[in-house]
Amino acid sequence: MRKYVVMGVQGSGKGTQSGLLSKAFDLVHISVGDIFRWHVQHHTKLGAQVRRIMAAGELVGDDLVEAVVGDRLRMHDWNYGFVIDGFPRNGRQAEFFLESYDIDGVIHLDLPDEEVRRRVLNRRLCTRCGMDYNLIADRPEVEGRCDVCGGDLVTRADDTPEALAARLREYRSKTRPVLDIFRRKEYVVNVDARPDPDTVQREIRKQLGLTSG
């Protein structure tokens, strides 16, 4: 059984790399961001709360994040292990996580702030089906329309320059210290997140010593 954590600032490709890794090695991909977005898109009570937080460019509080992660992991549908992204985001969450699970590796996707801004501010989201687009490398066939369902593509509420700047400050002050906690356990591999996704994935597998699924 393999259990990995993928960390990195927004726009570093956590979801993409977690998806590639989980598919190749039959792991369950647990994305905290995806769980919250599902609630936002389905207009649940939790979704309304998360929408207000995201619009302000803030991170969801510890108690709420821990409750959501705990509920998801208790499903125990991860027979061969899991890849989790979007958690932990601060020291308290990291300690909580390490007390509960034996982690095989923490993948830190390193991305300079200027590249974060370029990627994040070019993201679009379908209002109907939730499909993600990036106008840099994944443009829709019809501008402003989803290729899958024809829905309107909009900028996420939390993808404004002001909200992004707030998240970058939050990341530097709270999330990076988490890496120091993991490094004390010799868990962390650092990977340059600037190349294309396949190149980044090959480097992740090389550093983790993964050669087959």
Side-chain angles (χ1 to χ4, degrees):
M1 183 179 289
R2 298 181 173 111
K3 297 184 286 295
Y4 299 113
V5 173
V6 178
M7 295 185 62
V9 73
Q10 193 159 12
S12 59
K14 296 188 297 296
T16 297
Q17 296 305 324
S18 297
L20 291 170
L21 197 62
S22 61
K23 184 177 180 180
F25 296 94
D26 202 16
L27 308 174
V28 171
H29 176 200
I30 300 173
S31 168
V32 176
D34 284 351
I35 293 171
F36 285 138
R37 277 189 287 275
W38 184 92
H39 282 279
V40 170
Q41 290 163 11
H42 289 81
H43 306 288
T44 67
K45 184 177 180 180
L46 174 60
Q49 183 179 355
V50 171
R51 185 188 293 274
R52 290 192 296 271
I53 295 169
M54 291 170 64
E58 299 172 355
L59 293 179
V60 178
D62 292 349
D63 292 340
L64 190 55
V65 172
E66 288 172 18
V68 167
V69 171
D71 287 346
R72 180 63 186 84
L73 288 171
R74 278 192 292 272
M75 291 181 183
H76 285 291
D77 56 349
W78 33 279
N79 295 332
Y80 297 101
F82 59 77
V83 181
I84 187 167
D85 79 75
F87 184 89
R89 290 191 260 195
N90 57 46
R92 171 181 151 176
Q93 292 175 3
E95 297 291 355
F96 162 84
F97 200 50
L98 286 174
E99 287 173 2
S100 306
Y101 301 97
D102 295 321
I103 304 302
D104 294 294
V106 176
I107 303 149
H108 176 225
L109 299 174
D110 196 14
L111 195 68
D113 286 0
E114 59 270 20
E115 180 63 11
V116 173
R117 284 188 284 269
R118 188 178 79 93
R119 292 186 183 186
V120 169
L121 297 180
N122 276 285
R123 295 196 305 193
R124 298 295 183 269
L125 181 70
C126 177
T127 56
R128 186 180 300 170
C129 72
M131 184 76 175
D132 277 311
Y133 290 84
N134 191 299
L135 302 184
I136 299 171
D138 185 28
R139 300 187 70 89
E141 292 182 8
V142 178
E143 186 173 353
R145 293 288 178 185
C146 177
D147 293 340
V148 176
C149 72
D152 292 331
L153 298 183
V154 299
T155 301
R156 291 182 187 175
D158 59 335
D159 280 355
T160 64
E162 296 77 16
L164 177 58
R167 286 200 303 278
L168 285 171
R169 287 194 299 272
E170 189 92 349
Y171 178 80
R172 281 190 288 266
S173 66
K174 291 186 177 180
T175 309
R176 283 186 178 172
V178 173
L179 291 169
D180 294 332
I181 293 173
F182 283 133
R183 285 191 183 104
R184 291 202 294 269
K185 304 288 187 178
E186 299 180 354
Y187 286 134
V188 181
V189 297
N190 286 294
V191 177
D192 185 352
R194 290 175 295 181
D196 65 273
D198 289 340
T199 299
V200 174
Q201 180 68 194
R202 284 195 296 272
E203 181 61 22
I204 288 172
R205 295 185 194 183
K206 176 182 176 183
Q207 291 208 39
L208 291 175
L210 300 174
T211 56
S212 61

